[in-house]
Amino acid sequence: MHTIEEWTSIEEWTADLALRLLPETNGRKIEVFRGSVIVSPHANVDHQTVSTELVYALRQAAKAVGLFAYPEVNLISGDDLFIPDFGVFRQSGGGKVAMNIADALLLGEIVSPGNRRKDIIDRPKQYAAAGVPWFMRVECRNRVPVVALHSLVEGEYQPVAAAAAGTRFVMREPFAFEIDPADLLDE
């Protein structure tokens, strides 16, 4: 076990270093970006509910075509370590501590009030720069879920489909999937 003093003496963190030195946790998210460690608490209950319901539904659709959907996986991109809210991958993550961003087909973020910039601007830019072909975002302003899908076109994400609670979100690529965003919350 390493001490806090040892961890704080590290001048530049990498994904590999974080995965080797930091303890596995079901608590706070620990990510590495540009050499710095970022620690975040879990999001609110609505965020967790949306994540659970969406990943379950995505998992069924992805599995039907040989893909794998997971919540909050450790994702290595060069020296960075991200933990997207959810993702769909070309290969199984079974038995792995982390997945490589090159295996991601679709990554997604559920917008949290305290992380709006990260979820709407920063993460999509990072995923696009790594060449992830699809990005999905879920927002729940005033507890009204909206799902939006974006496709990578010339290095930037372009909107493809979107729907708010009470209507059907439908996508045909990268695999067939549809849901009423209202089904993502408890009520």
Side-chain angles (χ1 to χ4, degrees), residues 46 111 113 116 120 138-146 165 185:
D46 282 348
V111 178
R116 284 191 66 75
I120 292 174
V138 181
E139 290 198 57
C140 288
R141 288 189 183 188
N142 300 317
R143 302 198 75 237
V144 177
V146 175
L185 289 178

Side-chain angles (χ1 to χ4, degrees), residues 50 54 86 109-111 136-140 145-148 184:
V50 167
L54 183 59
F86 58 93
E109 297 293 337
I110 301 164
V111 178
M136 185 180 284
R137 180 172 47 238
V138 181
E139 290 198 57
C140 288
V146 175
V147 177
L184 298 175

Side-chain angles (χ1 to χ4, degrees), residues 15 32 75-82 99-102 126-127 129-130:
V32 177
L75 188 64
I76 297 172
S77 178
D79 284 337
D80 293 334
L81 174 66
F82 299 122
M99 309 249 336
N100 190 300
I101 200 163
Q126 293 155 358
Y127 301 156

Side-chain angles (χ1 to χ4, degrees), residues 30-104:
I30 300 172
E31 300 173 293
V32 177
F33 182 60
R34 295 185 181 158
S36 297
V37 173
I38 301 164
V39 180
S40 308
H42 273 282
N44 65 36
V45 174
D46 282 348
H47 184 286
Q48 299 302 319
T49 302
V50 167
S51 177
T52 299
E53 296 298 327
L54 183 59
V55 171
Y56 177 78
L58 280 171
R59 188 172 179 83
Q60 304 311 304
K63 191 175 184 179
V65 294
L67 299 169
F68 305 88
Y70 301 109
E72 297 186 336
V73 298
N74 293 319
L75 188 64
I76 297 172
S77 178
D79 284 337
D80 293 334
L81 174 66
F82 299 122
I83 303 177
D85 288 326
F86 58 93
V88 177
F89 297 85
R90 295 177 185 96
Q91 67 175 342
S92 172
K96 297 178 183 177
V97 172
M99 309 249 336
N100 190 300
I101 200 163
D103 296 321

